[in-house]
């Protein structure tokens, strides 16, 4: 910066809430992970025939995610957990966008425009994926199957595209030699994407075999692929902890502390809370 530049700094004080990102990440991922496990086990134990019923009456032993989360009271647990987990995920999407923007300095100038465009696409893919997850959760296949099916398709497309693009951007925005933490994060992202794209292929194959040929156990394999997709997707998003392991969610007051201009430092306004005015009682001025 030149000598006439003006730099403003901010100070955080009066902190009311301070949560490490690791806790947010673990809780956010644990909500769908454990609620899905609960729905699956309770559905299998208490309502085996209900959750394994298919339209063409083919033999089935592994219920789909829609089946185990569409019965009561499992649907209540699943919807509450997805609703709680979805909100912080929108904030994480913004964090990732700004995180990658800060790494623009590592990208060759000739690719800056392309890089910025990919960041926007990546952000919206993430947002659409999270929104569709909420949609398929609250619009069950029993209530409105055509709409549920369409939202699920959009979820799968956005999920796979996001994981691919995000993995590419992650590697592109790193130095040639990555740190051990970056290598770990990249390996998790890469292998989770390989797992989910393979499971998606199996999902399509077994869906066709079940829907058009009603082959016994085809829907069981379809459901197994669904669970692989769900848990690999959770593991992929959990890897974000490695990027933001030094970050906190904070609720506090923010105020400027110093201003530097031409080498001179001036003090900021006192950030301390204002004291209430107190009227003193005197003999001539009663309360």
């Amino acid at each position: 910066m030149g000598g006439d530049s003006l730099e403003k700094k901010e100070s955080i004080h009066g902190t009311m809430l301070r949560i490490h990102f690791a806790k947010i990440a673990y809780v956010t991922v644990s909500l769908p992970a454990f609620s899905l496990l609960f729905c699956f086990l309770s559905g299998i134990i208490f309502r085996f025939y209900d959750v394994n019923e298919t339209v063409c009456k083919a033999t089935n032993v592994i219920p789909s995610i829609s089946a185990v989360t569409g019965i009561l009271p499992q649907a209540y647990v699943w919807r509450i957990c997805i609703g709680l987990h979805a909100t912080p995920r929108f904030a994480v999407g913004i964090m990732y966008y700004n995180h990658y923007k800060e790494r623009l300095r590592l990208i060759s100038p000739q690719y800056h425009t392309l890089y910025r465009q990919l960041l926007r696409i990546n952000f919206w893919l993430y947002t659409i994926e999270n929104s569709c997850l909420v949609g398929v959760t609250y619009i069950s296949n029993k209530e409105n199957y055509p709409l549920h099916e369409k939202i699920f398709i959009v979820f799968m497309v956005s999920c796979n595209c996001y994981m691919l693009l995000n993995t590419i951007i992650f590697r592109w925005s790193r130095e040639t030699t990555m740190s051990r933490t970056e290598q770990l994060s990249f390996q998790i992202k890469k292998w989770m994407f390989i797992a989910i794209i393979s499971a998606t292929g199996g999902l399509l194959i077994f869906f066709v075999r079940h829907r058009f040929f009603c082959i016994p156990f085809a829907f069981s394999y379809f459901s197994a692929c669904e669970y692989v997709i769900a848990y690999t997707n959770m593991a992929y998003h959990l890897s974000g902890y490695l990027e933001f392991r030094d970050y906190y969610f904070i609720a506090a007051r923010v105020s400027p502390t110093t201003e530097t201009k031409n080498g001179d430092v001036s003090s900021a306004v006192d950030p301390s809370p204002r004291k209430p005015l107190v009227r003193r009682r005197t003999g001539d001025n009663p309360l």
Side-chain angles (χ1 to χ4, degrees):
M1 287 186 175
D4 296 331
S5 63
L6 178 65
E7 180 182 353
K8 293 185 178 180
K9 297 182 179 180
E10 294 178 333
S11 174
I12 297 177
H13 49 87
T15 302
M16 298 295 180
L17 178 68
R18 178 187 174 97
I19 306 175
H20 195 273
F21 184 82
K23 294 181 180 179
I24 298 292
Y26 290 136
V27 171
T28 300
V29 174
S30 296
L31 285 169
F34 287 110
S35 62
L36 180 57
L37 180 61
F38 165 77
C39 292
F40 175 79
L41 293 177
S42 60
I44 286 289
I45 294 171
F46 299 109
R47 300 183 63 176
F48 181 83
Y49 295 103
D50 291 337
V51 296
N52 281 303
E53 184 181 6
T54 60
V55 176
C56 63
K57 306 301 180 182
T59 305
N60 184 47
V61 293
I62 302 178
S64 67
I65 293 178
S66 297
V68 297
T69 60
I71 57 176
L72 300 178
Q74 288 83 347
Y76 299 144
V77 176
W78 177 244
R79 290 177 178 181
I80 290 171
C81 289
I82 289 298
L84 291 173
H85 121 285
T87 302
R89 276 194 58 188
F90 285 111
V92 173
I94 298 173
M95 290 176 64
Y96 254 122
Y97 179 78
N98 290 323
H99 170 72
Y100 287 137
K101 268 183 64 177
E102 291 178 352
R103 307 189 73 83
L104 183 65
R105 54 186 171 78
L106 300 174
I107 308 300
S108 300
Q110 58 183 343
Y111 297 115
H112 279 188
T113 301
L114 174 63
Y115 182 77
R116 291 192 184 97
Q117 291 174 347
L118 292 179
L119 288 191
R120 296 188 187 97
I121 295 173
N122 196 52
F123 169 77
W124 285 112
L125 286 173
Y126 179 94
T127 303
I128 292 171
E129 176 200 331
N130 194 29
S131 301
C132 287
L133 178 59
V134 177
V136 296
T137 298
Y138 286 90
I139 304 174
S140 70
N141 59 344
K142 294 181 179 180
E143 295 170 347
N144 191 331
Y145 180 81
L147 182 58
H148 177 89
E149 183 182 45
K150 291 177 176 61
I151 296 176
F152 179 74
I153 292 172
V154 176
F155 168 78
M156 289 302 305
V157 172
S158 59
C159 172
N160 283 277
C161 291
Y162 166 75
M163 291 175 69
L164 173 61
L165 182 57
N166 189 68
T167 304
I168 293 172
I169 293 175
F170 178 89
R171 185 63 189 92
W172 192 14
S173 61
R174 260 62 191 177
E175 300 281 2
T176 304
T177 303
M178 294 189 292
S179 66
R180 293 180 63 181
T181 302
E182 290 175 331
Q183 289 176 1
L184 176 60
S185 182
F186 179 66
Q187 291 299 320
I188 293 174
K189 288 175 171 60
K190 181 176 70 175
W191 286 110
M192 290 304 100
F193 171 72
I194 293 174
I196 202 170
I197 202 69
S198 302
T200 301
L203 187 86
L204 295 173
I205 292 172
F206 293 117
F207 178 79
V208 171
R209 289 169 66 87
H210 168 72
R211 173 61 68 87
F212 297 102
F213 303 101
C214 204
I215 298 174
F217 298 107
F219 197 73
S220 297
Y221 289 112
F222 168 87
S223 301
C225 290
E226 270 195 322
Y227 290 105
V228 172
I229 290 170
Y231 281 100
T232 51
N233 179 265
M234 295 175 200
Y236 186 97
H237 288 297
L238 183 59
S239 67
Y241 156 68
L242 297 170
E243 280 82 81
F244 305 116
R245 64 190 185 280
D246 298 325
Y247 285 73
Y248 291 82
F249 278 84
I250 298 176
R253 293 196 307 273
V254 179
S255 62
T257 54
T258 59
E259 292 185 357
T260 305
K261 186 175 183 180
N262 297 328
D264 297 328
V265 180
S266 59
S267 300
V269 179
D270 181 13
S272 59
R274 296 181 179 179
K275 296 181 179 179
L277 295 176
V278 178
R279 178 180 293 177
R280 294 182 179 180
R281 183 174 181 179
T282 62
D284 298 332
N285 296 307
L287 291 176

